[in-house]
């Protein structure tokens, strides 16, 4: 409790003292994907997260089918391990609730446009919540001309250059088949929050840390080797489909019953691959002697290897190549992914109680001391904890 004022509404049901962020309080004012994902990462690590939604609700609740109860499956992907309440940030009394919660939070996450932040008075809330790390998820960084433009994953994939290196020459640019920039931005936002929490005590001016996680810049950072190829070597990469810009062979191979991704990233691995395929003469062929030569003659090499790979099944090749240390993997459909023994063995999918019935969700990919953090709460219903949290705040004031 804070000096006779309201107290943060504790959540004994959702807390786990064994987790590293147990006791850390997070106020999540964000919606859709990147911001809620950042809050989910902190929640999976033990933080107590309260999600605030407008009377219209998080848009992803309606982004279906499929649905589980009243909410779309999309919403379930990034809203576990938290409580939720509904507040109208345009109403003064609801703004006061947000102000009270922010004043007790360790981290506040929001993804409003800068002009929206000001119009809702949240810039003043940020100034008053001096103890909190404030995380802003944006379409683009505040220092640039795109700062006040709305941002979505597809636009970020396009502007950042990701789409220009994704796709086949005959099909043209395409986006990645999942919201990859949103996901990376959520990861950067969570990392920034954790870094700022660790460094708070070292800030000499006593001002609260402000972390900005912008989609465009996170997309540019994700170019990694493609960016370095351009900045260092002047290369303007194009569409390579599933091929690697710097290594050959590295990509899909057609087996008798499906497709296998195979990578041989050194001369030693290429030699081992050729021996496993019973074509031991290829490493001494001048066209394929060294990675630079293999890149220059990639089409010829791919055709030669594909002829061999077509003679056996994916499973057969996976077994043979794994025996000699060659990285490979089947191209799974999503349903096949959840049949993988690795998924089942690691409890990556967990079942959790929900008012609409049991629901299976992907849990945190992390393990802590060999244990995967459990899903402690199902994604909450719209406004599920509003009255409970308001009652706890009023109780703190009364005391």
């Amino acid at each position: 409790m804070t000096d006779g004022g309201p107290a943060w509404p504790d959540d004994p049901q959702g807390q786990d003292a064994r987790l590293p962020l147990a006791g850390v309080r997070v106020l999540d004012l964000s919606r859709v994907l990147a911001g809620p994902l950042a809050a989910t990462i902190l929640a999976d690590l033990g933080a107590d997260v309260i999600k605030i939604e407008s009377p219209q609700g998080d848009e992803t609740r309606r982004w279906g089918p499929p649905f589980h109860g009243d909410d779309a499956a999309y919403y379930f992907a990034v809203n576990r391990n938290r409580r939720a309440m509904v507040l109208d940030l345009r109403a003064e009394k609801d703004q006061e609730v947000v102000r009270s919660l922010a004043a007790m939070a360790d981290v506040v996450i929001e993804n409003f446009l800068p002009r929206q932040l000001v119009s809702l008075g949240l810039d003043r809330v940020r100034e008053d919540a001096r103890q909190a790390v404030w995380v802003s998820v944006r379409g683009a960084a505040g220092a640039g001309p795109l700062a006040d433009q709305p941002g979505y994953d597809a636009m970020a994939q396009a502007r950042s250059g990701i789409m220009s290196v994704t796709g086949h020459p005959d099909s043209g640019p395409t986006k990645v088949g999942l919201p990859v920039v949103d996901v990376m931005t959520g990861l950067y936002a969570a990392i920034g929050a954790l870094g700022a929490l660790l460094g708070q005590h070292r800030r000499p001016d006593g001002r609260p840390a402000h972390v900005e996680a912008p989609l465009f810049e996170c997309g540019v950072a994700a170019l990694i080797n493609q960016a370095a190829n351009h900045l260092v070597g002047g290369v303007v990469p194009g569409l390579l489909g599933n091929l690697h810009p710097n290594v050959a062979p590295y990509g899909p191979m057609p087996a008798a019953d499906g497709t296998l991704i195979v990578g041989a990233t050194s001369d030693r691995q290429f030699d081992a691959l050729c021996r496993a395929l019973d074509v031991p003469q290829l490493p001494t062929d001048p066209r394929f002697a060294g990675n630079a030569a293999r890149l220059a003659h990639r089409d010829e090499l791919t055709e030669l290897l594909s002829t061999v790979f077509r003679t056996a099944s994916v499973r057969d090749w996976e077994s043979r190549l794994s025996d000699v240390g060659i990285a490979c993997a089947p191209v799974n459909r999503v349903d096949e992914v959840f049949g993988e023994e690795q998924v089942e063995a690691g409890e990556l999918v967990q079942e959790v109680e929900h008012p609409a019935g049991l629901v299976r969700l992907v849990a945190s990919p992390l393990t802590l001391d060999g244990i995967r953090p459990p899903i402690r709460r199902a994604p909450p219903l719209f406004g599920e904890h509003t009255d409970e949290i308001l009652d706890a705040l009023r109780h703190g004031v009364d005391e």
Side-chain angles (χ1 to χ4, degrees):
M1 192 177 305
T2 55
D3 299 332
W8 180 272
D10 289 330
D11 180 26
Q13 175 188 339
Q15 292 305 290
D16 187 337
R18 299 170 298 175
L19 296 172
L21 294 186
V24 172
R25 300 164 172 179
V26 178
L27 181 63
D28 180 17
L29 304 176
S30 66
R31 60 209 186 280
V32 186
L33 204 162
L37 176 59
T40 294
I41 293 167
L42 302 180
D44 286 345
L45 294 173
D48 183 0
V49 177
I50 294 177
K51 178 184 180 75
I52 306 295
E53 296 178 70
S54 74
Q56 291 73 46
D58 189 318
E59 295 94 312
T60 61
R61 289 185 184 272
R62 301 182 292 277
W63 286 3
F67 289 87
H68 185 73
D70 293 332
D71 294 319
Y74 196 120
Y75 165 79
F76 279 78
V78 290
N79 284 284
R80 62 183 175 270
N81 288 337
R82 71 197 65 196
R83 293 173 288 172
M85 64 187 306
V86 175
L87 294 174
D88 185 350
L89 298 185
R90 296 165 299 183
E92 186 175 341
K93 64 180 179 61
D94 286 2
Q95 282 187 4
E96 194 55 42
V97 174
V98 169
R99 188 180 302 277
S100 295
L101 290 169
M104 297 178 285
D106 300 297
V107 178
V108 179
I109 302 173
E110 51 86 11
N111 61 351
F112 293 100
L113 292 173
R115 63 176 181 271
Q116 294 172 331
L117 197 78
V118 172
S119 69
L120 293 171
L122 292 174
D123 56 332
R124 298 189 299 276
V125 173
R126 184 175 70 194
E127 285 299 314
D128 292 341
R130 303 185 65 84
Q131 82 300 329
V133 172
W134 192 281
V135 180
S136 298
V137 174
R138 297 280 185 267
L146 300 175
D148 213 22
Q149 291 190 17
Y152 286 95
D153 177 85
M155 292 72 182
Q157 287 197 43
R159 191 183 290 273
S160 69
I162 290 175
M163 283 181 64
S164 77
V165 296
T166 306
H168 293 268
D170 56 348
S171 65
T174 183
K175 72 179 186 67
V176 179
L178 52 88
V180 62
V181 177
D182 269 338
V183 170
M184 288 184 295
T185 303
L187 290 167
Y188 273 113
I191 292 168
L194 292 171
L197 279 174
L198 284 172
Q200 277 285 62
H201 67 282
R202 292 195 292 269
R203 293 177 66 83
D205 57 4
R207 290 183 59 79
H210 183 199
V211 175
E212 196 172 52
L215 270 71
F216 171 69
E217 282 79 359
C218 289
V220 173
L223 291 175
I224 303 292
N225 56 316
Q226 298 281 31
N229 289 345
H230 174 67
L231 295 173
V232 176
V235 176
V236 179
L239 298 174
L240 287 175
N242 295 311
L243 301 178
H244 196 290
N246 298 100
V247 178
Y250 191 111
M253 292 293 168
D257 61 347
T259 304
L260 190 73
I261 299 294
V262 178
T265 60
S266 68
D267 291 342
R268 181 189 61 78
Q269 289 183 1
F270 182 61
D271 184 68
L273 173 66
C274 291
R275 283 187 280 108
L277 271 60
D278 199 22
V279 286
Q281 72 279 10
L282 291 187
T284 58
D285 187 315
R287 294 172 299 171
F288 313 129
N291 185 65
R294 292 193 289 273
L295 276 173
H297 299 91
R298 189 199 326 251
D299 290 345
E300 298 163 74
L301 177 60
T302 299
E303 184 55 39
L304 287 169
L305 297 181
S306 295
T307 300
V308 181
F309 273 106
R310 288 190 183 97
T311 64
S313 70
V314 168
R315 293 267 181 213
D316 190 17
W317 284 121
E318 189 177 9
S319 176
R320 289 195 223 177
L321 298 186
S322 296
D323 286 345
V324 295
I326 299 299
C328 61
V331 179
N332 283 333
R333 299 187 310 266
V334 172
D335 61 318
E336 293 172 324
V337 172
F338 293 104
E340 285 270 2
E341 292 181 8
Q342 182 72 24
V343 171
E344 296 177 4
E347 296 183 341
L348 183 58
V349 174
Q350 298 178 12
E351 196 171 65
V352 62
E353 295 278 357
H354 184 270
L358 288 173
V359 62
R360 297 170 71 228
L361 300 172
V362 176
S364 171
L366 300 173
T367 60
L368 306 173
D369 296 325
I371 299 173
R372 193 176 307 284
I375 298 179
R376 308 183 304 281
R377 277 187 177 275
L381 300 176
F382 181 56
E384 181 176 348
H385 305 98
T386 302
D387 291 342
E388 167 192 316
I389 292 171
L390 290 176
D391 285 347
L393 290 173
R394 293 188 193 104
H395 180 66
V397 171
D398 292 344
E399 283 195 349

